Amino acid sequence: MSTSMKETSFDSLYKAFEERIEQLKKLPKMKEDSSIEQVINDNGFSRREFMIWAGGVTAMLALPSSFTPLMAEAVKVADRLPIIWLHMAECTGCTESLLRSANPSIDSLIFDYISLEYQETLMTAAGWQAEQNLENAMKKYKGRYILMVEGGIPSADTEHYLTIGGHGKTGKASAMEAAEHAAAVFAIGTCSAFGGVQAAAPNPSNAVALSEVTHKTVINVPGCPPSEKNIVGTLLHYLLYGTLPALDVFNRPKWAYRLRIHDLCERRGHFDAGEFVEQFGDAGAKDGYCLYKVGCKGPYTFNNCSKQKFNQGTSWPVQAGFGCIGCSEPDFWDTMGTVNEPIKDRLYNTTFGGLGADATADKIGIGLLTATAVGIAAHAVVSAIKPPKE
Amino acid sequence: MITKEIIEKIEGEASVEFEIKDNLVEFATISFPHFRGIEMILNGKNALDALVITPRVCGICGHAHLMASVRAIEDAYKNAGYEIKNNQKIEKIREFTLIMEIIQNHFKWFYMTLIPELEKLHSTSLVQTPLKGAFAASLAAKAIATFAGQWPHSSYMIPGGITSDPTNIDILQVQTYLQELSLFFENETLGTSLEDFLSFESCKEFRGLNSDFSYIEEKLISLEMHEKGFAYDKFLILGKHSFTSVSKLNKTHAVGIDAKFVNTVEAYSPNQITYAKNAQYKKEYYETGPLSRMMALNFPIIKNMHRRFKDSAYSRVMARIFELAYLLKKASSLATTLTIAESSYNSVVDISKITASGLGVVEAPRGPLLHKIEIEKGIIESYKIITPTQFNIGSSSLKNPTPAQKAMQKLSKEEALFVFRTFDVCSVCTTH
């Protein structure tokens, strides 16, 4: 590939982003009196730290560093997009992961700054008022809001295993309705993406993925939980491109789920050298050898944990000596057990015939979402998460 | 008159149906309208799979589930004739991460539940600072992640030990997180040092402070929460730890107990679907959680508070904040006395050799969490989970109300909803 061609393609992308941001700028702000500069400043971050963060996100989304100022610009207009976040059958771990993203880090501030119109765990309103807010937000921003769903969806004759709100509406009905009029639909976490733990055999509640109850294209952000970086990154990607990201065969954004855990694992050198932990606590375990033989499913699992880690980069399971359990793969609870044993009849390089998830990804429909018309008035439910005034 | 209220911001959803008479709550029934069937999913799986499945019951106390699972499996090893004796290092690290999970929970509850809920009751508006809660909770989670790889949903405990082998640098890092967290708690939350706060002998000493804590304390008193929200004045602590005294208390009188006497009964919720069961000890209701744990430890301030305000909503809230201080100190002492020379893991026989039952009991942020496992040649035959919210917030009949139902009686609906939240509800755990 010649350098000049590469530059040309990024040039046009750069222009497209600029236009997108200009378009978004014309839309009304959700909160008249807030700006990202203010939010960052109020929370004790300098502009320099903000730019370093923007650079990190730019790199994470596989864009050249020259896009960093554009990323910073994009964040400034993030408050033009209304977001509705629904909880289905789940443990709220994904929300907790997002809340723990930070000190408060810039990641969580972004979620403060954007207009979270409805989020059960974070909002101030509760009960009937909350239900009303949800209905209002869905009506007001019809066709324009971003829908983020956490949790699997009970279906069939056990649909009533999840009801939401005072009217006893089932989770499935709520999710279907919310998805119908959303501009973009994101399944946050493995439960929403693939059914998750409650969908493991015998699946007592007939829990299914969000994509099974709507005809809309669902972008899956699996992980149990997904890292805060993947949640925020998905949002910023949509903000910049105004379209769905390139997806793999399971509708996961390629920028995050393109590589196997194994590919960038810190213990990979030991795998290549044939140095394995044979049993927990042995000499190999002390020396950080490869965990494949004690059940690591990293070779079959597509995610960026080995790079992004968790809790603001503190650690990740493999670093703590516990192999990957495959939590961002569909049906891993049933197909990748037992947890502390390797998958005996599956060689590590056989996923998708050895080609990896890329093999069929481009055949999956990538429906383009329009970037237009995000007309909004101030409706500051999001004031629930005001930053602390130091 | 019958009205219904939906409760959010509690890890899932709950619904309370009130019978109102003369503007006061005559009675309330509680329902949890969701069900996932985790126990059924565990059946037939390898016993070790419980270590990754049960933490997924809950996004806020998954670590307690992990520890309950590992204790249940280790108990089964013992009952099968292969007793596992964990060394100091293993015990201390497990205990430390469990404590840190309780700490993050309490911080989050204080800043993200208590303050917004108080604001609803109180006519003046409070300064809402939920990001303070996120700040403190994420520091605590980082300390857990240093040993456990991630939080939520860590799985680093295994029968015979832990999988991580921390270095001195890790220990130093954890101590730094703790110092930062303690400083935050002293400066932002308490307005005094941990030592001073823990040595208080009377609630009157709170008045000298000027902080988030003292502000909340004043509001609680002005709302007369020290005269409201009484449950049975009976407390239950079942998880055995370095920071608990296992017992049941009738007022201040403590007696020893055995977790095998915990039973569950069907919930009473005639008008609403619920998937929850109520938990009891010897067929009686007890309150569990921070107030119970602090009552059993005989702190002068807690005794003083109880003498004056019994098990009121005020005492329940104050005990949770006091426990934060107590556990921060405990965590510091664990982190500074930890020696890494010992092994992280002691070899155990293969799980396929185990046919036995086991009981794992821990104290989770809201009280006792019980896991009962039956293993047949390494495979789970049956798995039962009983969670703290089932003790506190069951739904029973008017004749024999649960602690939360009793605490809500004779209050206005708004007050009752506040009192409901002083128990710190976890809805997703309750039905699992």
Side-chain angles (χ1 to χ4, degrees), chain A residues 328-361:
Chain A
S328 49
E329 296 301 308
D331 305 324
F332 77 98
W333 291 108
D334 295 323
T335 58
M336 292 198 189
T338 297
V339 62
N340 295 136
E341 289 172 17
I343 302 178
K344 295 184 188 71
D345 53 356
R346 211 158 133 192
L347 290 174
Y348 90 93
N349 60 354
T350 57
T351 316
F352 302 106
L355 294 172
D358 279 352
T360 47

PDB file of all heavy atoms in Angstrom, chain A residues 328-361:
ATOM      1  N   SER A 328     -16.907 -12.382  25.775  1.00  0.00           N
ATOM      2  CA  SER A 328     -17.492 -11.549  24.722  1.00  0.00           C
ATOM      3  C   SER A 328     -17.896 -12.375  23.494  1.00  0.00           C
ATOM      4  O   SER A 328     -18.167 -11.822  22.431  1.00  0.00           O
ATOM      5  CB  SER A 328     -16.555 -10.401  24.333  1.00  0.00           C
ATOM      6  OG  SER A 328     -15.265 -10.884  24.091  1.00  0.00           O
ATOM      7  N   GLU A 329     -17.942 -13.701  23.652  1.00  0.00           N
ATOM      8  CA  GLU A 329     -18.374 -14.584  22.568  1.00  0.00           C
ATOM      9  C   GLU A 329     -19.805 -15.069  22.806  1.00  0.00           C
ATOM     10  O   GLU A 329     -20.204 -15.313  23.946  1.00  0.00           O
ATOM     11  CB  GLU A 329     -17.441 -15.796  22.481  1.00  0.00           C
ATOM     12  CG  GLU A 329     -16.009 -15.442  22.117  1.00  0.00           C
ATOM     13  CD  GLU A 329     -15.899 -14.720  20.787  1.00  0.00           C
ATOM     14  OE1 GLU A 329     -16.440 -15.221  19.785  1.00  0.00           O
ATOM     15  OE2 GLU A 329     -15.284 -13.635  20.753  1.00  0.00           O
ATOM     16  N   PRO A 330     -20.573 -15.268  21.736  1.00  0.00           N
ATOM     17  CA  PRO A 330     -21.944 -15.775  21.897  1.00  0.00           C
ATOM     18  C   PRO A 330     -21.932 -17.161  22.562  1.00  0.00           C
ATOM     19  O   PRO A 330     -21.070 -17.982  22.251  1.00  0.00           O
ATOM     20  CB  PRO A 330     -22.464 -15.891  20.454  1.00  0.00           C
ATOM     21  CG  PRO A 330     -21.536 -15.082  19.624  1.00  0.00           C
ATOM     22  CD  PRO A 330     -20.231 -15.029  20.324  1.00  0.00           C
ATOM     23  N   ASP A 331     -22.863 -17.398  23.455  1.00  0.00           N
ATOM     24  CA  ASP A 331     -23.060 -18.719  24.081  1.00  0.00           C
ATOM     25  C   ASP A 331     -21.822 -19.292  24.756  1.00  0.00           C
ATOM     26  O   ASP A 331     -21.708 -20.496  24.899  1.00  0.00           O
ATOM     27  CB  ASP A 331     -23.548 -19.735  23.033  1.00  0.00           C
ATOM     28  CG  ASP A 331     -24.802 -19.235  22.338  1.00  0.00           C
ATOM     29  OD1 ASP A 331     -25.624 -18.595  23.014  1.00  0.00           O
ATOM     30  OD2 ASP A 331     -24.946 -19.475  21.119  1.00  0.00           O
ATOM     31  N   PHE A 332     -20.898 -18.422  25.158  1.00  0.00           N
ATOM     32  CA  PHE A 332     -19.669 -18.981  25.732  1.00  0.00           C
ATOM     33  C   PHE A 332     -19.933 -19.784  27.000  1.00  0.00           C
ATOM     34  O   PHE A 332     -19.202 -20.688  27.326  1.00  0.00           O
ATOM     35  CB  PHE A 332     -18.648 -17.871  26.001  1.00  0.00           C
ATOM     36  CG  PHE A 332     -18.932 -17.063  27.232  1.00  0.00           C
ATOM     37  CD1 PHE A 332     -18.284 -17.333  28.437  1.00  0.00           C
ATOM     38  CD2 PHE A 332     -19.858 -16.049  27.197  1.00  0.00           C
ATOM     39  CE1 PHE A 332     -18.559 -16.599  29.580  1.00  0.00           C
ATOM     40  CE2 PHE A 332     -20.142 -15.305  28.342  1.00  0.00           C
ATOM     41  CZ  PHE A 332     -19.487 -15.585  29.532  1.00  0.00           C
ATOM     42  N   TRP A 333     -21.031 -19.447  27.713  1.00  0.00           N
ATOM     43  CA  TRP A 333     -21.312 -20.182  28.956  1.00  0.00           C
ATOM     44  C   TRP A 333     -21.497 -21.672  28.667  1.00  0.00           C
ATOM     45  O   TRP A 333     -21.129 -22.513  29.478  1.00  0.00           O
ATOM     46  CB  TRP A 333     -22.580 -19.648  29.628  1.00  0.00           C
ATOM     47  CG  TRP A 333     -22.428 -18.270  30.177  1.00  0.00           C
ATOM     48  CD1 TRP A 333     -22.980 -17.121  29.676  1.00  0.00           C
ATOM     49  CD2 TRP A 333     -21.658 -17.868  31.320  1.00  0.00           C
ATOM     50  NE1 TRP A 333     -22.597 -16.045  30.444  1.00  0.00           N
ATOM     51  CE2 TRP A 333     -21.803 -16.472  31.458  1.00  0.00           C
ATOM     52  CE3 TRP A 333     -20.864 -18.563  32.245  1.00  0.00           C
ATOM     53  CZ2 TRP A 333     -21.177 -15.752  32.470  1.00  0.00           C
ATOM     54  CZ3 TRP A 333     -20.245 -17.846  33.259  1.00  0.00           C
ATOM     55  CH2 TRP A 333     -20.403 -16.458  33.361  1.00  0.00           C
ATOM     56  N   ASP A 334     -22.079 -21.974  27.522  1.00  0.00           N
ATOM     57  CA  ASP A 334     -22.334 -23.374  27.206  1.00  0.00           C
ATOM     58  C   ASP A 334     -21.244 -24.003  26.332  1.00  0.00           C
ATOM     59  O   ASP A 334     -20.991 -25.188  26.429  1.00  0.00           O
ATOM     60  CB  ASP A 334     -23.688 -23.506  26.502  1.00  0.00           C
ATOM     61  CG  ASP A 334     -24.836 -23.110  27.424  1.00  0.00           C
ATOM     62  OD1 ASP A 334     -24.741 -23.420  28.628  1.00  0.00           O
ATOM     63  OD2 ASP A 334     -25.793 -22.477  26.957  1.00  0.00           O
ATOM     64  N   THR A 335     -20.612 -23.182  25.499  1.00  0.00           N
ATOM     65  CA  THR A 335     -19.670 -23.782  24.549  1.00  0.00           C
ATOM     66  C   THR A 335     -18.222 -23.733  25.017  1.00  0.00           C
ATOM     67  O   THR A 335     -17.379 -24.428  24.476  1.00  0.00           O
ATOM     68  CB  THR A 335     -19.740 -23.064  23.185  1.00  0.00           C
ATOM     69  OG1 THR A 335     -19.449 -21.680  23.380  1.00  0.00           O
ATOM     70  CG2 THR A 335     -21.126 -23.197  22.567  1.00  0.00           C
ATOM     71  N   MET A 336     -17.923 -22.907  26.043  1.00  0.00           N
ATOM     72  CA  MET A 336     -16.523 -22.783  26.452  1.00  0.00           C
ATOM     73  C   MET A 336     -16.242 -23.313  27.861  1.00  0.00           C
ATOM     74  O   MET A 336     -15.175 -23.122  28.401  1.00  0.00           O
ATOM     75  CB  MET A 336     -16.057 -21.336  26.337  1.00  0.00           C
ATOM     76  CG  MET A 336     -15.973 -20.856  24.919  1.00  0.00           C
ATOM     77  SD  MET A 336     -14.969 -19.399  24.811  1.00  0.00           S
ATOM     78  CE  MET A 336     -15.254 -18.887  23.138  1.00  0.00           C
ATOM     79  N   GLY A 337     -17.247 -23.948  28.494  1.00  0.00           N
ATOM     80  CA  GLY A 337     -16.984 -24.569  29.802  1.00  0.00           C
ATOM     81  C   GLY A 337     -16.143 -25.800  29.591  1.00  0.00           C
ATOM     82  O   GLY A 337     -16.055 -26.291  28.486  1.00  0.00           O
ATOM     83  N   THR A 338     -15.557 -26.318  30.559  1.00  0.00           N
ATOM     84  CA  THR A 338     -15.441 -25.928  31.950  1.00  0.00           C
ATOM     85  C   THR A 338     -14.396 -24.839  32.121  1.00  0.00           C
ATOM     86  O   THR A 338     -13.395 -24.829  31.407  1.00  0.00           O
ATOM     87  CB  THR A 338     -15.066 -27.166  32.770  1.00  0.00           C
ATOM     88  OG1 THR A 338     -16.118 -28.093  32.651  1.00  0.00           O
ATOM     89  CG2 THR A 338     -14.795 -26.861  34.208  1.00  0.00           C
ATOM     90  N   VAL A 339     -14.635 -23.989  33.089  1.00  0.00           N
ATOM     91  CA  VAL A 339     -13.830 -22.781  33.180  1.00  0.00           C
ATOM     92  C   VAL A 339     -12.326 -23.028  33.322  1.00  0.00           C
ATOM     93  O   VAL A 339     -11.533 -22.350  32.678  1.00  0.00           O
ATOM     94  CB  VAL A 339     -14.365 -21.866  34.300  1.00  0.00           C
ATOM     95  CG1 VAL A 339     -14.292 -22.513  35.662  1.00  0.00           C
ATOM     96  CG2 VAL A 339     -13.643 -20.543  34.307  1.00  0.00           C
ATOM     97  N   ASN A 340     -11.920 -23.975  34.135  1.00  0.00           N
ATOM     98  CA  ASN A 340     -10.487 -24.155  34.364  1.00  0.00           C
ATOM     99  C   ASN A 340      -9.851 -25.255  33.508  1.00  0.00           C
ATOM    100  O   ASN A 340      -8.788 -25.761  33.811  1.00  0.00           O
ATOM    101  CB  ASN A 340     -10.208 -24.398  35.856  1.00  0.00           C
ATOM    102  CG  ASN A 340     -10.566 -23.198  36.703  1.00  0.00           C
ATOM    103  OD1 ASN A 340     -11.166 -23.319  37.747  1.00  0.00           O
ATOM    104  ND2 ASN A 340     -10.219 -22.009  36.225  1.00  0.00           N
ATOM    105  N   GLU A 341     -10.542 -25.624  32.433  1.00  0.00           N
ATOM    106  CA  GLU A 341      -9.970 -26.634  31.521  1.00  0.00           C
ATOM    107  C   GLU A 341      -9.913 -26.063  30.111  1.00  0.00           C
ATOM    108  O   GLU A 341     -10.805 -25.327  29.703  1.00  0.00           O
ATOM    109  CB  GLU A 341     -10.862 -27.883  31.505  1.00  0.00           C
ATOM    110  CG  GLU A 341     -10.794 -28.687  32.781  1.00  0.00           C
ATOM    111  CD  GLU A 341     -11.833 -29.801  32.804  1.00  0.00           C
ATOM    112  OE1 GLU A 341     -12.370 -30.143  31.729  1.00  0.00           O
ATOM    113  OE2 GLU A 341     -12.113 -30.305  33.904  1.00  0.00           O
ATOM    114  N   PRO A 342      -8.887 -26.456  29.359  1.00  0.00           N
ATOM    115  CA  PRO A 342      -8.843 -26.000  27.963  1.00  0.00           C
ATOM    116  C   PRO A 342      -9.933 -26.693  27.147  1.00  0.00           C
ATOM    117  O   PRO A 342     -10.420 -27.755  27.534  1.00  0.00           O
ATOM    118  CB  PRO A 342      -7.450 -26.422  27.487  1.00  0.00           C
ATOM    119  CG  PRO A 342      -6.968 -27.426  28.453  1.00  0.00           C
ATOM    120  CD  PRO A 342      -7.735 -27.271  29.725  1.00  0.00           C
ATOM    121  N   ILE A 343     -10.326 -26.086  26.061  1.00  0.00           N
ATOM    122  CA  ILE A 343     -11.291 -26.739  25.188  1.00  0.00           C
ATOM    123  C   ILE A 343     -10.535 -27.818  24.432  1.00  0.00           C
ATOM    124  O   ILE A 343      -9.705 -27.530  23.586  1.00  0.00           O
ATOM    125  CB  ILE A 343     -11.930 -25.719  24.219  1.00  0.00           C
ATOM    126  CG1 ILE A 343     -12.593 -24.600  25.027  1.00  0.00           C
ATOM    127  CG2 ILE A 343     -12.953 -26.408  23.321  1.00  0.00           C
ATOM    128  CD1 ILE A 343     -13.200 -23.519  24.170  1.00  0.00           C
ATOM    129  N   LYS A 344     -10.856 -29.063  24.765  1.00  0.00           N
ATOM    130  CA  LYS A 344      -9.973 -30.156  24.337  1.00  0.00           C
ATOM    131  C   LYS A 344     -10.011 -30.389  22.834  1.00  0.00           C
ATOM    132  O   LYS A 344      -9.018 -30.672  22.203  1.00  0.00           O
ATOM    133  CB  LYS A 344     -10.363 -31.448  25.061  1.00  0.00           C
ATOM    134  CG  LYS A 344     -10.133 -31.372  26.558  1.00  0.00           C
ATOM    135  CD  LYS A 344     -10.437 -32.706  27.214  1.00  0.00           C
ATOM    136  CE  LYS A 344     -10.402 -32.604  28.735  1.00  0.00           C
ATOM    137  NZ  LYS A 344     -11.539 -31.854  29.292  1.00  0.00           N
ATOM    138  N   ASP A 345     -11.211 -30.257  22.250  1.00  0.00           N
ATOM    139  CA  ASP A 345     -11.315 -30.655  20.857  1.00  0.00           C
ATOM    140  C   ASP A 345     -11.245 -29.464  19.901  1.00  0.00           C
ATOM    141  O   ASP A 345     -11.729 -29.511  18.800  1.00  0.00           O
ATOM    142  CB  ASP A 345     -12.614 -31.434  20.629  1.00  0.00           C
ATOM    143  CG  ASP A 345     -13.803 -30.653  21.124  1.00  0.00           C
ATOM    144  OD1 ASP A 345     -13.595 -29.560  21.693  1.00  0.00           O
ATOM    145  OD2 ASP A 345     -14.947 -31.115  20.951  1.00  0.00           O
ATOM    146  N   ARG A 346     -10.664 -28.393  20.360  1.00  0.00           N
ATOM    147  CA  ARG A 346     -10.630 -27.218  19.506  1.00  0.00           C
ATOM    148  C   ARG A 346      -9.246 -26.605  19.540  1.00  0.00           C
ATOM    149  O   ARG A 346      -8.818 -26.103  20.568  1.00  0.00           O
ATOM    150  CB  ARG A 346     -11.655 -26.210  20.034  1.00  0.00           C
ATOM    151  CG  ARG A 346     -12.267 -25.356  18.959  1.00  0.00           C
ATOM    152  CD  ARG A 346     -13.584 -24.844  19.492  1.00  0.00           C
ATOM    153  NE  ARG A 346     -13.712 -23.427  19.263  1.00  0.00           N
ATOM    154  CZ  ARG A 346     -14.654 -22.690  19.833  1.00  0.00           C
ATOM    155  NH1 ARG A 346     -15.513 -23.228  20.666  1.00  0.00           N
ATOM    156  NH2 ARG A 346     -14.732 -21.408  19.571  1.00  0.00           N
ATOM    157  N   LEU A 347      -8.540 -26.654  18.443  1.00  0.00           N
ATOM    158  CA  LEU A 347      -7.217 -26.062  18.419  1.00  0.00           C
ATOM    159  C   LEU A 347      -7.359 -24.550  18.418  1.00  0.00           C
ATOM    160  O   LEU A 347      -8.338 -24.009  17.920  1.00  0.00           O
ATOM    161  CB  LEU A 347      -6.454 -26.521  17.185  1.00  0.00           C
ATOM    162  CG  LEU A 347      -6.060 -28.004  17.227  1.00  0.00           C
ATOM    163  CD1 LEU A 347      -5.447 -28.417  15.909  1.00  0.00           C
ATOM    164  CD2 LEU A 347      -5.106 -28.281  18.372  1.00  0.00           C
ATOM    165  N   TYR A 348      -6.332 -23.907  18.916  1.00  0.00           N
ATOM    166  CA  TYR A 348      -6.497 -22.473  19.135  1.00  0.00           C
ATOM    167  C   TYR A 348      -6.654 -21.687  17.842  1.00  0.00           C
ATOM    168  O   TYR A 348      -7.212 -20.618  17.810  1.00  0.00           O
ATOM    169  CB  TYR A 348      -5.345 -21.928  19.985  1.00  0.00           C
ATOM    170  CG  TYR A 348      -4.173 -21.446  19.214  1.00  0.00           C
ATOM    171  CD1 TYR A 348      -4.071 -20.108  18.858  1.00  0.00           C
ATOM    172  CD2 TYR A 348      -3.166 -22.316  18.816  1.00  0.00           C
ATOM    173  CE1 TYR A 348      -2.998 -19.660  18.140  1.00  0.00           C
ATOM    174  CE2 TYR A 348      -2.107 -21.867  18.097  1.00  0.00           C
ATOM    175  CZ  TYR A 348      -2.011 -20.539  17.761  1.00  0.00           C
ATOM    176  OH  TYR A 348      -0.950 -20.093  17.051  1.00  0.00           O
ATOM    177  N   ASN A 349      -6.150 -22.241  16.730  1.00  0.00           N
ATOM    178  CA  ASN A 349      -6.183 -21.448  15.501  1.00  0.00           C
ATOM    179  C   ASN A 349      -7.334 -21.831  14.575  1.00  0.00           C
ATOM    180  O   ASN A 349      -7.314 -21.541  13.394  1.00  0.00           O
ATOM    181  CB  ASN A 349      -4.858 -21.579  14.761  1.00  0.00           C
ATOM    182  CG  ASN A 349      -4.577 -23.021  14.391  1.00  0.00           C
ATOM    183  OD1 ASN A 349      -5.319 -23.918  14.783  1.00  0.00           O
ATOM    184  ND2 ASN A 349      -3.515 -23.249  13.651  1.00  0.00           N
ATOM    185  N   THR A 350      -8.361 -22.518  15.121  1.00  0.00           N
ATOM    186  CA  THR A 350      -9.400 -23.007  14.225  1.00  0.00           C
ATOM    187  C   THR A 350     -10.636 -22.118  14.152  1.00  0.00           C
ATOM    188  O   THR A 350     -11.567 -22.422  13.433  1.00  0.00           O
ATOM    189  CB  THR A 350      -9.872 -24.409  14.658  1.00  0.00           C
ATOM    190  OG1 THR A 350     -10.314 -24.322  16.007  1.00  0.00           O
ATOM    191  CG2 THR A 350      -8.780 -25.426  14.528  1.00  0.00           C
ATOM    192  N   THR A 351     -10.634 -21.022  14.909  1.00  0.00           N
ATOM    193  CA  THR A 351     -11.813 -20.177  14.883  1.00  0.00           C
ATOM    194  C   THR A 351     -12.115 -19.705  13.457  1.00  0.00           C
ATOM    195  O   THR A 351     -11.229 -19.208  12.766  1.00  0.00           O
ATOM    196  CB  THR A 351     -11.592 -18.941  15.773  1.00  0.00           C
ATOM    197  OG1 THR A 351     -10.981 -19.381  16.975  1.00  0.00           O
ATOM    198  CG2 THR A 351     -12.896 -18.252  16.072  1.00  0.00           C
ATOM    199  N   PHE A 352     -13.289 -19.886  13.030  1.00  0.00           N
ATOM    200  CA  PHE A 352     -13.704 -19.514  11.678  1.00  0.00           C
ATOM    201  C   PHE A 352     -12.719 -20.031  10.628  1.00  0.00           C
ATOM    202  O   PHE A 352     -12.252 -19.299   9.767  1.00  0.00           O
ATOM    203  CB  PHE A 352     -13.872 -17.997  11.539  1.00  0.00           C
ATOM    204  CG  PHE A 352     -14.865 -17.438  12.490  1.00  0.00           C
ATOM    205  CD1 PHE A 352     -14.444 -16.709  13.580  1.00  0.00           C
ATOM    206  CD2 PHE A 352     -16.220 -17.685  12.326  1.00  0.00           C
ATOM    207  CE1 PHE A 352     -15.364 -16.214  14.484  1.00  0.00           C
ATOM    208  CE2 PHE A 352     -17.129 -17.182  13.237  1.00  0.00           C
ATOM    209  CZ  PHE A 352     -16.703 -16.453  14.308  1.00  0.00           C
ATOM    210  N   GLY A 353     -12.418 -21.310  10.731  1.00  0.00           N
ATOM    211  CA  GLY A 353     -11.537 -21.915   9.752  1.00  0.00           C
ATOM    212  C   GLY A 353     -10.152 -21.283   9.736  1.00  0.00           C
ATOM    213  O   GLY A 353      -9.475 -21.279   8.717  1.00  0.00           O
ATOM    214  N   GLY A 354      -9.751 -20.765  10.872  1.00  0.00           N
ATOM    215  CA  GLY A 354      -8.413 -20.198  10.974  1.00  0.00           C
ATOM    216  C   GLY A 354      -8.314 -18.774  10.457  1.00  0.00           C
ATOM    217  O   GLY A 354      -7.275 -18.145  10.522  1.00  0.00           O
ATOM    218  N   LEU A 355      -9.403 -18.247   9.949  1.00  0.00           N
ATOM    219  CA  LEU A 355      -9.364 -16.906   9.377  1.00  0.00           C
ATOM    220  C   LEU A 355      -9.727 -15.815  10.382  1.00  0.00           C
ATOM    221  O   LEU A 355      -9.517 -14.646  10.131  1.00  0.00           O
ATOM    222  CB  LEU A 355     -10.320 -16.811   8.178  1.00  0.00           C
ATOM    223  CG  LEU A 355      -9.912 -17.668   6.975  1.00  0.00           C
ATOM    224  CD1 LEU A 355     -11.011 -17.662   5.939  1.00  0.00           C
ATOM    225  CD2 LEU A 355      -8.612 -17.154   6.368  1.00  0.00           C
ATOM    226  N   GLY A 356     -10.325 -16.228  11.490  1.00  0.00           N
ATOM    227  CA  GLY A 356     -10.743 -15.223  12.459  1.00  0.00           C
ATOM    228  C   GLY A 356     -12.087 -14.642  12.081  1.00  0.00           C
ATOM    229  O   GLY A 356     -12.648 -14.956  11.027  1.00  0.00           O
ATOM    230  N   ALA A 357     -12.594 -13.789  12.936  1.00  0.00           N
ATOM    231  CA  ALA A 357     -13.946 -13.262  12.762  1.00  0.00           C
ATOM    232  C   ALA A 357     -14.070 -12.361  11.534  1.00  0.00           C
ATOM    233  O   ALA A 357     -15.148 -12.089  11.052  1.00  0.00           O
ATOM    234  CB  ALA A 357     -14.389 -12.503  13.992  1.00  0.00           C
ATOM    235  N   ASP A 358     -12.937 -11.917  10.999  1.00  0.00           N
ATOM    236  CA  ASP A 358     -12.982 -11.051   9.828  1.00  0.00           C
ATOM    237  C   ASP A 358     -13.567 -11.745   8.605  1.00  0.00           C
ATOM    238  O   ASP A 358     -14.077 -11.106   7.692  1.00  0.00           O
ATOM    239  CB  ASP A 358     -11.565 -10.590   9.453  1.00  0.00           C
ATOM    240  CG  ASP A 358     -11.131  -9.439  10.325  1.00  0.00           C
ATOM    241  OD1 ASP A 358     -11.989  -8.941  11.072  1.00  0.00           O
ATOM    242  OD2 ASP A 358      -9.973  -9.058  10.255  1.00  0.00           O
ATOM    243  N   ALA A 359     -13.477 -13.067   8.593  1.00  0.00           N
ATOM    244  CA  ALA A 359     -13.807 -13.829   7.405  1.00  0.00           C
ATOM    245  C   ALA A 359     -15.103 -13.392   6.732  1.00  0.00           C
ATOM    246  O   ALA A 359     -15.143 -13.175   5.531  1.00  0.00           O
ATOM    247  CB  ALA A 359     -13.864 -15.302   7.750  1.00  0.00           C
ATOM    248  N   THR A 360     -16.139 -13.275   7.515  1.00  0.00           N
ATOM    249  CA  THR A 360     -17.424 -12.982   6.897  1.00  0.00           C
ATOM    250  C   THR A 360     -17.962 -11.610   7.275  1.00  0.00           C
ATOM    251  O   THR A 360     -19.043 -11.235   6.878  1.00  0.00           O
ATOM    252  CB  THR A 360     -18.464 -14.035   7.315  1.00  0.00           C
ATOM    253  OG1 THR A 360     -18.378 -14.213   8.717  1.00  0.00           O
ATOM    254  CG2 THR A 360     -18.218 -15.337   6.607  1.00  0.00           C
ATOM    255  N   ALA A 361     -17.178 -10.892   8.035  1.00  0.00           N
ATOM    256  CA  ALA A 361     -17.673  -9.641   8.603  1.00  0.00           C
ATOM    257  C   ALA A 361     -18.205  -8.684   7.549  1.00  0.00           C
ATOM    258  O   ALA A 361     -19.258  -8.092   7.694  1.00  0.00           O
ATOM    259  CB  ALA A 361     -16.581  -8.961   9.395  1.00  0.00           C
TER     260      ALA A 361
END
